[in-house]
């Protein structure tokens, strides 16, 4: 079983739509959680960290459910520039290793 | 500007040759990582190092080797023993602390001819 699982998509949505991605992780020892954005043929870049209380950054909202071991990312009012692959990442602190999901591809259409 | 640099950006190798990918960081981070990414897939951990002169195998270490002689540098050698080395290679570092995020270099795209 993979450490981190994501729906690969693609999610094809019109501009202005709201879209949600989910991610599940298998190791209950996971302690830090992140969403990264990766554009085609580029390196991943941090979109936001995910905290137990949930957090919001503009149009982006991240939630963590430790009991069910899943993480979510909500994007409101989608822009063309949001088109990318979104990677779910968890960190197991004791080993300082990071586990990446395979990514969810988002295509925002005009 | 602080960051991670990788070189070269593109690398072509003949079968049977060893090649070394460079990774340098000036973020003063202790931990450094090498990942491999294949088309349409996530990142897989090759090797990581928590401190100078120490490193551990990741999930797909066979056919690769690393060294960590300096805090700033973590070069990766792709040996001829690596059966399918064509991939996108990403180096990352992590400073720990409250944010604990990883920072990535721009990557090296290796193609075996």
């Amino acid at each position: 079983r993979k450490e981190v699982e994501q729906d690969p998509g693609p999610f094809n949505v019109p501009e202005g739509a709201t879209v949600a991605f989910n991610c599940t992780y298998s190791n209950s020892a996971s302690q830090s959680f992140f969403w990264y954005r990766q554009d085609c043929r580029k390196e991943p870049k941090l979109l936001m960290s995910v905290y137990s209380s949930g957090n919001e950054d503009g149009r982006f909202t991240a939630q963590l459910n430790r009991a069910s071991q899943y993480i979510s990312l909500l994007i409101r009012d989608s822009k063309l520039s949001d088109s990318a692959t979104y990677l779910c990442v968890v960190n197991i602190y004791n080993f300082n290793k990071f586990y990446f999901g395979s990514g969810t591809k988002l295509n925002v259409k005009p | 500007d602080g960051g991670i640099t990788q070189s070269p950006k593109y690398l072509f190798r003949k079968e049977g040759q060893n090649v070394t990918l460079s990774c340098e960081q000036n973020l003063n981070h202790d931990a450094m990582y090498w990942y491999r990414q294949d088309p349409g897939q996530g990142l897989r951990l090759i090797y990581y190092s928590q401190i100078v002169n120490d490193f551990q195998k990741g999930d797909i270490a066979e056919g690769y080797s690393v060294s960590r002689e300096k805090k700033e540098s973590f070069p990766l050698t792709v040996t001829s023993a690596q059966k399918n080395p064509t991939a996108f290679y990403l180096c990352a570092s992590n400073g720990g602390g409250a944010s604990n995020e990883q920072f990535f270099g721009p990557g090296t795209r290796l193609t075996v001819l």
Side-chain angles (χ1 to χ4, degrees), chain A residues 25-69:
Chain A
Y25 60 95
S26 60
N27 193 325
S28 60
S30 301
Q31 293 181 286
S32 298
F33 308 88
F34 309 89
W35 283 101
Y36 277 74
R37 171 193 169 126
Q38 186 174 25
D39 293 294
C40 189
R41 301 177 73 84
K42 299 282 193 182
E43 75 273 24
K45 294 188 177 176
L46 181 69
L47 179 66
M48 56 199 308
S49 301
V50 187
Y51 304 115
S52 296
S53 55
N55 47 303
E56 187 174 309
D57 183 3
R59 298 181 293 108
F60 299 86
T61 301
Q63 298 276 357
L64 167 64
N65 185 318
R66 284 188 184 271
S68 302
Q69 294 185 198

Side-chain angles (χ1 to χ4, degrees), chain A residues 91-98, chain B residues 31 33 48 50 94 96 100 102:
Chain A
N91 170 254
I92 299 178
Y93 185 73
N94 287 346
F95 305 103
N96 204 19
K97 289 176 72 173
F98 292 78
Chain B
Y33 306 78
Y48 64 111
Q50 304 283 23
N94 164 249
N100 203 32
Q102 282 199 315

